[in-house]
């Protein structure tokens, strides 16, 4: 299958998550092609979307989950690896998964946020359902790695949705799961210096070792479809 289909599927699924629609979709490309932007979204003009999740524990950027495993980089902003080693410890002993029990979200107040967003003039609000880190912020039936079963033990998506509707705002949730394959290739480390991502016990979070040069679409498609709750995609 051509890679462009993967890109197309990812974009369509993101937009079907961002703006709600009454139309029901089947897990096929042809079905997803029937999607049309609803009129209310064209008229809304202004909405707010923010990125918030498990990476707020180390609080050094939302790309921490990937960058913490990169010790040397020519990119000046990619500094989380040395920072993690200095502040938290070696990536074989303290990995991204270890932040989960630390995330309490004790000051989380979706209602207060929605009040502020509405007063700013927003007509809709969109939150993260699953970021590139493969950690779900809702009660997922596909993975144990979610904010209800672990961490703060809260359904963040439902909390945001309920608060948005209470303020009369439209609500949407986005999934960025497909990129986690690229993200998580670095958490395995090397033969000389393995990281916690090489432990098969955590493959359902970190993914098994994956060859980006020879992608396995049979692995990608079920993951994308399940993340969006429409079942395994068929091409």
């Amino acid at each position: 299958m051509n890679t462009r289909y993967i890109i197309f599927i990812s974009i369509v699924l993101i937009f079907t998550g961002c703006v709600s629609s009454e139309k029901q979709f089947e897990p096929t490309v042809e079905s997803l092609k029937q999607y049309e932007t609803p009129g209310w979204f064209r008229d809304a003009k202004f909405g707010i979307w923010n990125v918030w999740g498990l990476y707020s524990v180390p609080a050094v950027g939302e790309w921490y989950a990937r960058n913490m495993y990169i010790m040397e980089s020519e990119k000046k902003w990619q500094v989380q690896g040395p920072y993690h080693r200095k502040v938290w410890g070696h990536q074989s002993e303290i990995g991204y998964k270890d932040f989960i029990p630390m995330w309490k979200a004790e000051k989380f107040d979706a209602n207060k946020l929605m009040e502020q967003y509405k007063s700013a003039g927003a007509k809709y609000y969109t939150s993260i359902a699953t970021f590139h880190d493969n950690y779900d912020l809702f009660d997922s039936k596909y993975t144990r790695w979610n904010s209800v079963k672990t961490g703060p033990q809260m359904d963040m998506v439902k909390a945001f949705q309920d608060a948005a509707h209470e303020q009369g705002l439209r609500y949407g949730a986005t999934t960025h799961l497909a990129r986690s394959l690229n993200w998580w290739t670095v958490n395995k480390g090397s033969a000389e210096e393995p990281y916690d991502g090489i432990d098969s016990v955590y493959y359902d979070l970190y993914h098994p070792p994956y060859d980006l040069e020879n992608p396995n679409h049979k692995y990608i498609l079920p993951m994308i479809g399940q993340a969006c709750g429409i079942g395994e995609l068929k091409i």
Side-chain angles (χ1 to χ4, degrees):
M1 187 182 72
N2 194 299
T3 305
R4 65 189 177 90
Y5 287 115
I6 294 295
I7 297 172
F8 168 77
I9 291 168
S10 300
I11 292 173
V12 169
L13 291 178
I14 288 171
F15 275 92
T16 55
C18 283
V19 286
S20 60
S21 173
E22 298 299 324
K23 185 176 178 62
Q24 298 298 310
F25 294 94
E26 298 297 326
T28 65
V29 170
E30 287 305 315
S31 177
L32 295 176
K33 283 182 178 180
Q34 305 307 310
Y35 176 79
E36 296 180 359
T37 303
W40 71 261
F41 184 69
R42 296 178 185 276
D43 298 334
K45 307 303 181 186
F46 176 55
I48 293 176
W49 174 76
N50 59 17
V51 180
W52 178 67
L54 175 58
Y55 30 85
S56 63
V57 174
V60 191
E62 68 272 21
W63 277 51
Y64 194 92
R66 172 177 170 80
N67 293 340
M68 62 170 281
Y69 293 101
I70 300 174
M71 291 303 296
E72 296 182 7
S73 174
E74 296 179 355
K75 300 174 181 177
K76 294 182 179 180
W77 52 268
Q78 212 164 42
V79 298
Q80 290 93 335
Y83 169 85
H84 183 88
R85 186 79 59 91
K86 179 180 179 180
V87 175
W88 297 96
H90 195 278
Q91 290 87 338
S92 63
E93 299 176 355
I94 303 293
Y96 189 66
K97 69 183 186 309
D98 297 296
F99 289 126
I100 295 175
M102 301 181 199
W103 191 30
K104 306 299 183 183
E106 62 272 17
K107 296 183 180 180
F108 173 62
D109 189 340
N111 292 310
K112 185 175 181 179
L113 278 173
M114 292 309 116
E115 289 175 2
Q116 293 175 338
Y117 293 162
K118 182 178 181 179
S119 67
K123 302 300 182 184
Y124 64 92
Y125 169 71
T126 306
S127 73
I128 293 285
T130 309
F131 196 51
H132 309 316
D133 59 0
N134 197 21
Y135 185 76
D136 291 347
L137 302 185
F138 57 96
D139 192 9
S140 173
K141 64 181 180 180
Y142 295 108
T143 176
R144 58 178 170 145
W145 303 103
N146 67 71
S147 63
V148 177
K149 296 183 176 71
T150 64
Q153 299 185 346
M154 289 186 238
D155 189 328
M156 305 297 188
V157 169
K158 186 177 187 304
F160 278 130
Q161 181 185 49
D162 291 347
H165 289 168
E166 181 69 23
Q167 294 297 321
L169 303 180
R170 296 274 188 167
Y171 174 77
T174 62
T175 176
H176 308 247
L177 180 59
R179 198 168 193 172
S180 66
L181 283 173
N182 174 279
W183 261 41
W184 282 145
T185 55
V186 295
N187 64 30
K188 311 300 183 288
S190 63
E192 296 76 21
E193 189 177 20
Y195 294 157
D196 69 322
I198 200 63
D199 190 337
S200 61
V201 172
Y202 305 113
Y203 279 179
D204 54 343
L205 174 67
Y206 289 147
H207 300 314
Y210 192 79
D211 184 359
L212 292 174
E213 298 300 321
N214 299 286
N216 181 356
H217 299 311
K218 291 182 179 179
Y219 181 70
I220 296 174
L221 292 179
M223 182 180 66
I224 297 174
Q226 289 177 3
C228 295
I230 60 174
E232 183 175 344
L233 288 169
K234 302 177 181 65
I235 300 298

